Amino acid sequence: MKTISQVASLTGVSVRTLQYYDEIDLLKPTTVTDAGYRLYDETALEKLQQILFFKELGFKLRDIREMLEESDFDKIEAYKQQKILLRMKRNRLNRLIALLEKLERGEVCMDFKEFDLTDYISALEAFKDNNTEEIVKHWGSIENFEQFIQKVQDDETDVAKIAIRQFGSVEKYTEAMKYNLEHFSELMERADTLVANQDEILQRSNDLYLSLTSDKTKDVTSDEIQNIVRQIVDFSKETSMGMDMGEGFWDMVIESYSDETVRGVTDKNYGEGASEYIARALQYYFHKLG
């Protein structure tokens, strides 16, 4: 047992703060002597440690108390989540320090908040720490996955720009990617199924685009053409493994048909002018612009 003064000395938490924690039922002493002295055992100190971690992460005392009082509170799981959140905070601070160093050198730096992938990168790091078997199975090795994370970090601004175009914001992109990580095994099983049926899928896709471009004189706004476009969109959803592709995904697809390489391949496969025709058909489907 330790006295309140000893706990204060050990943890750096003031005696008055510990008394306040007792008053609000956040951290009760293990026992109180007849003389009124508060005493704390190892379990109480462990709880205090949890409280301090949550405080460091910005949680309000009321919320911390409610979490700790939950019947299904798992301290080990809490440690894992706290580690993830603290890593995110550390990475954020590192980025701020790096920005300040650039500013000190006189460099002109844009506001980088919009392009901050710290949350996503931290989620990847957490996934790596807790899913070794799955990573080795589908990525070949932990090193390969670490290289992927490094690639995201190295190309962070470019990745973020694409994420914003496809999902509307980095936050929405991160949430979608976190969902994918949480359902990684399930998604990989679907991917294996798609690979096994690859020829059939490619044939189905080719048939749909052949049907769409068989007569490019037809009005792209007609019910016939728009029905084919709907089938293409539905088929894309079926083969996306259930992943959220983002609200801007199809706009990026439409834009891709103006790329010289994509246009060349598309026109070669489906006839001259096919890329422009497909783009206009998709544009009308999603935006009702002929």
Side-chain angles (χ1 to χ4, degrees), residues 10-250:
L10 175 67
T11 64
V13 179
S14 70
V15 169
R16 180 65 194 101
T17 297
L18 291 169
Q19 291 172 339
Y20 179 65
Y21 287 174
D22 182 7
E23 292 169 8
I24 64 173
D25 295 326
L26 176 61
L27 178 69
K28 306 293 291 184
T30 306
T31 187
V32 179
T33 67
D34 293 338
Y37 293 109
R38 295 175 173 86
L39 298 178
Y40 299 82
D41 63 8
E42 290 298 319
T43 299
L45 291 177
E46 189 177 79
K47 185 175 182 181
L48 176 59
Q49 188 177 56
Q50 282 277 8
I51 293 169
L52 296 179
F53 277 131
F54 280 124
K55 272 196 66 183
E56 181 65 29
L57 292 166
F59 286 87
K60 296 178 181 179
L61 295 180
R62 180 185 67 252
D63 295 333
I64 296 173
R65 183 183 64 204
E66 290 176 357
M67 284 188 290
L68 295 177
E69 288 176 350
E70 290 179 359
S71 60
D72 60 348
F73 178 77
D74 185 336
K75 65 180 181 181
I76 301 301
E77 183 60 29
Y79 287 142
K80 291 179 180 179
Q81 295 303 315
Q82 287 165 342
K83 181 175 70 173
I84 292 171
L85 293 170
L86 285 170
R87 276 180 174 169
M88 291 167 56
K89 185 174 182 179
R90 178 197 64 191
N91 292 341
R92 181 65 173 171
L93 290 174
N94 286 341
R95 290 175 60 85
L96 288 171
I97 292 170
L99 177 62
L100 287 170
E101 289 174 346
K102 290 181 180 180
L103 293 172
E104 284 179 338
R105 293 195 296 269
E107 297 181 23
V108 177
C109 299
M110 63 179 288
D111 182 2
F112 64 90
K113 290 181 181 179
E114 185 182 23
F115 303 107
D116 185 4
L117 289 180
T118 299
D119 196 8
Y120 174 43
I121 293 170
S122 296
L124 290 174
E125 291 282 2
F127 181 77
K128 181 192 72 175
D129 291 344
N130 298 297
N131 297 273
T132 302
E133 185 176 337
E134 288 295 315
I135 289 174
V136 172
K137 178 180 178 181
H138 297 288
W139 288 80
S141 68
I142 294 295
E143 290 72 22
N144 289 342
F145 193 74
E146 288 177 339
Q147 288 176 12
F148 167 68
I149 296 175
Q150 187 61 53
K151 180 67 173 174
V152 173
Q153 292 175 313
D154 292 343
D155 300 334
E156 184 170 3
T157 299
D158 290 336
V159 172
K161 286 179 179 178
I162 294 173
I164 291 168
R165 287 181 61 200
Q166 186 170 343
F167 287 85
S169 70
V170 166
E171 290 75 17
K172 289 181 179 179
Y173 170 77
T174 299
E175 287 306 309
M177 295 305 103
K178 282 183 177 179
Y179 177 88
N180 293 344
L181 290 174
E182 290 169 2
H183 298 81
F184 185 75
S185 296
E186 179 184 344
L187 292 174
M188 287 303 99
E189 288 180 7
R190 293 180 187 175
D192 290 341
T193 300
L194 291 176
V195 171
N197 296 287
Q198 180 175 291
D199 291 342
E200 180 182 339
I201 291 171
L202 291 174
Q203 185 61 55
R204 173 61 174 155
S205 177
N206 186 57
D207 289 345
L208 285 170
Y209 280 98
L210 281 172
S211 178
L212 177 63
T213 57
S214 62
D215 183 354
K216 291 183 282 294
T217 64
K218 291 180 178 178
D219 187 350
V220 296
T221 69
S222 67
D223 290 342
E224 177 187 355
I225 295 300
Q226 287 301 299
N227 180 55
I228 299 172
V229 173
R230 179 186 56 76
Q231 293 179 59
I232 290 173
V233 173
D234 289 344
F235 184 66
S236 176
K237 291 178 181 178
E238 291 174 20
T239 55
S240 67
M241 304 186 299
M243 293 191 295
D244 181 0
M245 302 304 291
E247 60 191 42
F249 171 73
W250 282 103

